[in-house]
Amino acid sequence: QVQLVESRGGLVQPGDSLRLSCAASGRTFSSYTMAWFRQAPGKERDFVATISWNGVRTYYADSVKGRFTISRDNAKNLGYLQMDSLKPDDTAVYYCASDHSYVPQTPEDYHYWGQGTQVTVSS
């Protein structure tokens, strides 16, 4: 079992940076894939990024490639999403997710989810 808690998001201006954290509890996190998804109002939950259990493999949605970076620290049971050059279109609730599967990119493949944190990008 894995429990996930995201850090607080916030309101930022276009072009700003923000780092989200995902704190995991449970001994299996270090052997599980971790991912970030986001959901804007009235839209489906979309894939943002995923990272393999050992950090070797990472995949990103085209919309965030080159601006967002996913990482993890298994010794601390923490995952991160560094978001740079933020745009208004990045406004959404961001979710941390984890699963034993190897770097899937669809929400249906993830069994464990955080509660979500709001990120708003607006001037």
Side-chain angles (χ1 to χ4, degrees):
Q1 295 289 332
V2 178
Q3 290 80 43
L4 304 170
V5 179
E6 298 95 342
S7 61
R8 181 177 296 181
L11 172 63
V12 296
Q13 295 187 340
D16 282 354
S17 296
L18 184 66
R19 188 177 79 161
L20 300 180
S21 300
C22 176
S25 60
R27 292 177 294 175
T28 55
F29 175 75
S30 60
S31 61
Y32 277 21
T33 291
M34 189 199 76
W36 290 91
F37 289 80
R38 66 186 182 185
Q39 188 166 19
K43 295 187 177 181
E44 296 183 346
R45 190 168 298 188
D46 291 333
F47 168 74
V48 175
T50 186
I51 185 169
S52 60
W53 66 273
N54 58 2
V56 171
R57 295 289 186 188
T58 57
Y59 296 96
Y60 296 90
D62 288 343
S63 59
V64 306
K65 202 171 295 183
R67 299 188 299 121
F68 289 13
T69 304
I70 190 172
S71 61
R72 66 190 299 163
D73 185 340
N74 286 340
K76 297 180 179 179
N77 268 11
L78 286 171
Y80 304 98
L81 183 69
Q82 176 67 41
M83 304 184 291
D84 298 320
S85 301
L86 282 161
K87 305 175 181 179
D89 284 348
D90 295 319
T91 296
V93 176
Y94 283 73
Y95 296 90
C96 174
S98 187
D99 197 83
H100 68 277
S101 303
Y102 192 69
V103 292
Q105 300 180 25
T106 55
E108 293 77 14
D109 290 323
Y110 285 85
H111 285 85
Y112 305 107
W113 291 87
Q115 80 286 356
T117 187
Q118 177 70 47
V119 174
T120 302
V121 184
S122 175
S123 55

